Amino acid sequence: MIQIVVLLYVGEGGIAALRAHEADMAPIIYRHGGQIISASHPSAPQPGDPDEIHILQFPDMQAFDDFRNDPDSLSKMEQRRLAIRDARLYITDQFVTYID
């Protein structure tokens, strides 16, 4: 299993475009075994903070790559460009347990 923390910065289409794009992408994520663990936004944003923060989970890196290369994902690149100015991804398969 991998988890991906995604810091999203809204593009010229604004927050409505971002939310519409993410709603279109959700079924494609699920098609590849992915899950949206959470999607949130800062409650008191500071300059430079992301507009939304997502935590995604996929069975493995191959499933994530398959999602990214899915023809339906690729067909939404123009929509993505309007919705997302920048996205920073942090991918891990290294998990820490603090409570037994």
Side-chain angles (χ1 to χ4, degrees), residues 32-97:
H32 292 281
Q35 295 179 11
I36 301 169
I37 303 301
S38 71
S40 60
H41 57 87
S43 46
Q46 301 296 312
D49 283 354
D51 297 296
E52 281 200 0
I53 303 163
H54 295 184
I55 300 175
L56 308 177
Q57 187 169 293
F58 282 86
D60 52 35
M61 196 64 200
Q62 184 62 55
F64 179 58
D65 288 340
D66 290 347
F67 154 70
R68 293 182 86 174
N69 293 307
D70 184 296
D72 289 336
S73 289
L74 296 173
S75 74
K76 300 195 181 310
M77 294 309 288
E78 179 60 20
Q79 178 191 47
R80 182 187 190 285
R81 187 192 68 71
L82 291 171
I84 300 170
R85 173 176 49 87
D86 189 20
R88 298 181 190 160
L89 281 63
Y90 300 90
I91 302 171
T92 188
D93 64 358
Q94 304 296 307
F95 302 99
V96 178
T97 302

